Amino acid sequence: MAERDDMAHAFAWTEDLTEEQRHRVRTAMIERKLSAGEYLCRQGEPSDYWIGVISGIVKMSVSTATGEITTLTKVAAGGWFGEGSVLKGESRRYDCLAISDTRIALIPRAAFLWLLDNSIPFNRFVMTLLNERLANSFAIIECSRLQGPDARVARCLATLFNPVLNPSRDERLELSQEEIALLSGMSRQRVNRALHKLEEARLLKLEHRRIIVLDVAGLRSYGA
DNA sequence: TCATTAAATTGTT
DNA sequence: AACAATTTAATGA
């Protein structure tokens, strides 16, 4: 996709703003390029920006003092995140890492809050975002308590295809099984078995370092 | 462009 | 956690 299209796609929500508000977004926005493996932000840093992914993928994860890591979610092109910490005025709760070469849009906190104060459509957009994240999180909690490991992996993969949180996701997931293990909180070995089970069910196809998702709805409802 | 090698990833135990 | 098999990426002829 052309760079300009990526940008337009990520900023689709500005279509409901007034010309003045759009102008404010344009002038306040800061663009950053990250290469693969580079951190966008770390746990504990001040939350000065609301963050949009123009292209590439960002991984959000937390680590404990003992060095254990788990991945919370991934945000692909067109997705926005970080509004929670900005709204609460607290420091970042998660590490954000660029998985591939990534272009990021930063909306400074002041501009973000100004938009909330001045645009009802923007409020609606953010509310929808928060609502989807909540539903997504509940789905994972529900699944982790009521379903077996195979369904957990299925559900974790399905959440990556949430149209609101990850609008541009194509069916190809460039994720190693190790990454999926971090994302679903299971061992790589168990994830490997689950993935083969899901492949048998024709919900996805396994390739090296990549998964082709054939049936998102099927993954979402697997085992239920 | 091809072959070799190292590194990463996967499938099993 | 460990191991072998497989795939990819990097290097240099």
Side-chain angles (χ1 to χ4, degrees):
Chain A
M1 200 189 285
E3 291 203 354
R4 197 172 305 144
D5 292 338
D6 286 340
M7 187 68 89
H9 185 249
F11 282 87
W13 53 271
T14 60
E15 281 167 25
D16 293 327
L17 302 181
T18 66
E19 187 49 48
E20 182 208 2
Q21 290 161 347
R22 258 200 299 277
H23 180 260
R24 173 115 186 205
V25 169
R26 269 198 300 275
T27 52
M29 188 268 275
I30 299 163
E31 191 182 334
R32 269 186 70 189
K33 288 187 189 200
L34 300 172
S35 40
E38 214 176 326
Y39 277 95
L40 167 61
C41 62
R42 299 284 209 145
Q43 253 177 105
E45 286 179 2
S47 309
D48 297 329
Y49 303 100
W50 183 46
I51 303 160
V53 181
I54 301 169
S55 65
I57 306 183
V58 172
K59 171 167 96 170
M60 298 170 73
S61 62
V62 279
S63 56
T64 63
T66 56
E68 289 169 291
I69 300 174
T70 193
T71 302
L72 296 166
T73 190
K74 311 212 170 192
V75 183
W80 288 80
F81 64 97
E83 68 283 338
S85 297
V86 171
L87 276 169
K88 288 198 269 184
E90 66 183 16
S91 56
R92 292 282 179 220
R93 313 198 63 130
Y94 316 114
D95 293 324
C96 302
L97 172 76
I99 296 283
S100 54
D101 289 350
T102 297
R103 287 172 72 211
I104 294 293
L106 300 172
I107 306 289
R109 176 180 157 80
F112 176 77
L113 296 177
W114 181 85
L115 283 169
L116 285 178
D117 287 340
N118 289 279
S119 169
I120 288 178
F122 185 71
N123 276 270
R124 193 162 292 145
F125 176 74
V126 173
M127 207 181 291
T128 304
L129 204 61
L130 289 169
N131 194 29
E132 285 298 329
R133 237 190 272 296
L134 184 65
N136 233 348
S137 305
F138 275 7
I140 289 176
I141 294 172
E142 176 191 337
C143 202
S144 70
R145 294 186 182 168
L146 300 178
Q147 303 286 335
D150 298 338
R152 277 171 66 179
V153 171
R155 176 70 76 155
C156 278
L157 293 176
T159 60
L160 298 180
F161 289 86
N162 181 301
V164 174
L165 301 177
N166 272 324
S168 69
R169 182 62 95 185
D170 66 6
E171 68 285 356
R172 292 161 65 258
L173 278 178
E174 305 274 343
L175 294 178
S176 71
Q177 299 186 359
E178 171 95 55
E179 286 282 356
I180 295 168
L182 289 171
L183 185 63
S184 54
M186 312 193 323
S187 72
R188 185 181 66 73
Q189 291 90 330
R190 191 59 189 80
V191 166
N192 180 272
R193 289 220 283 153
L195 288 174
H196 280 281
K197 203 98 172 268
L198 298 174
E199 185 175 41
E200 261 177 52
R202 297 179 197 288
L203 299 176
L204 52 78
K205 200 157 94 62
L206 293 177
E207 291 182 5
H208 188 75
R209 248 195 85 71
R210 173 186 305 144
I211 290 169
I212 314 290
V213 172
L214 305 173
D215 182 355
V216 179
L219 284 177
R220 195 168 287 126
S221 61
Y222 185 86

